Amino acid sequence: MRSEGRPTKGIAVPWELRVILWAGASAGGMLGVWRAFTAWVVHFPWVQIAGMDLVYGFGLGAGLIGGMCAVARLFPVISSSPKVQHLAALLSFLAGGAAFGLVGAAFFFAMPGFTLSEQWMELVATFEAGLSLALALWPFPFQGRRRDFLPRSWPWRMLIAGALFVSLHGGFLFLHISNQSALVIWPGAVYQQWSGKWAGEVLLPNAFNRLALLDAFVSGALLCLALLVSLRLAAGNRLWASRPLR
């Protein structure tokens, strides 16, 4: 908090914009690196795929944190009312997940060949992925007194995000759909395209779907980690900027 009558270290860019940009850069970088690795494993053009997913990750991460920051603007940073804090956390969860899904929808509709009538489940799953990540960040760390995370809670939040992504993709497998998933998850059909290199004649028929479940877990955990890192950096920068100058 700023002290009246005492100058503080100012920042030219609003704090909310900084955390949104950091979230986008962290999520985009993490997703890009992960997709570069998976594309290299299956002999896909990894540079092109990594660049594409870097853009996806940037937009999705920035959208999720942007939605949460929009709610944070409506509430005081420090509130003595637990009800206000809980309401702010709930609205941040919903706004962040919805913003993630809307950004994902924009990417879907920009893709050539996308048809809503056939791929609407992928669109819904992307909204669910956003809500899963927002839930893993619960409560939004800059609401009320909960302005930051404890480092020891990060593995649990990553585990929650990964598990939610697995259950999300598991819904497609339950419906025997192996060629669709949320925007940030590669379904089993993607891995099966390289079945010859995987010695597909030896693998079980559902082996590639299991790889997709692993992909879902890692994607969720890494995206959660990226967002946690960006929020930690933002919290440190905010405290640094609010210190009075001597």
Side-chain angles (χ1 to χ4, degrees):
M1 297 298 291
R2 297 186 175 220
S3 302
E4 293 296 333
R6 302 180 66 185
T8 57
K9 300 176 182 179
I11 51 177
V13 181
W15 175 82
E16 288 85 357
L17 180 58
R18 284 199 170 197
V19 70
I20 290 170
L21 293 176
W22 284 341
S26 298
M30 194 74 76
L31 187 62
V33 170
W34 170 236
R35 283 292 161 246
F37 171 74
T38 54
W40 173 78
V41 167
V42 297
H43 285 189
F44 285 175
W46 65 270
V47 174
Q48 177 183 353
I49 290 175
M52 181 175 61
D53 280 274
L54 190 152
V55 175
Y56 290 164
F58 183 93
L60 295 169
L64 188 145
I65 298 301
M68 288 182 159
C69 284
V71 173
R73 277 283 186 175
L74 302 177
F75 294 87
V77 176
I78 296 180
S79 172
S80 59
S81 171
K83 291 183 178 180
V84 172
Q85 293 180 29
H86 294 157
L87 176 61
L90 175 61
L91 292 178
S92 293
F93 157 70
L94 295 174
F100 184 101
L102 288 174
V103 173
F107 284 130
F108 270 122
F109 284 111
M111 291 179 182
F114 175 78
T115 56
L116 184 60
S117 60
E118 296 180 2
Q119 296 171 270
W120 63 270
M121 289 184 65
E122 293 182 88
L123 189 58
V124 172
T126 300
F127 275 90
E128 293 174 347
L131 291 172
S132 297
L133 285 172
L135 183 61
L137 299 178
W138 181 284
F140 186 51
F142 305 110
Q143 298 292 349
R145 297 188 178 91
R146 301 178 181 272
R147 293 187 296 172
D148 206 357
F149 288 110
L150 295 174
R152 63 176 177 268
S153 69
W154 287 25
W156 289 108
R157 294 181 186 278
M158 293 170 62
L159 181 62
I160 290 171
L164 290 173
F165 271 48
V166 167
S167 64
L168 186 160
H169 185 67
F172 286 90
L173 299 184
F174 179 78
L175 297 173
H176 304 288
I177 300 174
S178 61
N179 63 343
Q180 294 185 20
S181 192
L183 181 63
V184 294
I185 300 173
W186 276 9
V190 174
Y191 292 100
Q192 196 167 5
Q193 291 180 27
W194 203 50
S195 58
K197 300 295 182 180
W198 281 100
E201 68 277 6
V202 178
L203 295 178
L204 296 175
N206 62 345
F208 299 104
N209 288 332
R210 293 178 182 176
L211 284 174
L213 290 175
L214 176 62
D215 184 292
F217 179 85
V218 176
S219 298
L222 289 181
L223 284 172
C224 181
L225 174 61
L227 295 173
L228 287 169
V229 169
S230 65
L231 292 173
R232 169 65 73 180
L233 291 173
N237 178 264
R238 195 177 199 183
L239 291 175
W240 176 86
S242 63
R243 290 175 182 173
L245 291 173
R246 293 185 178 181

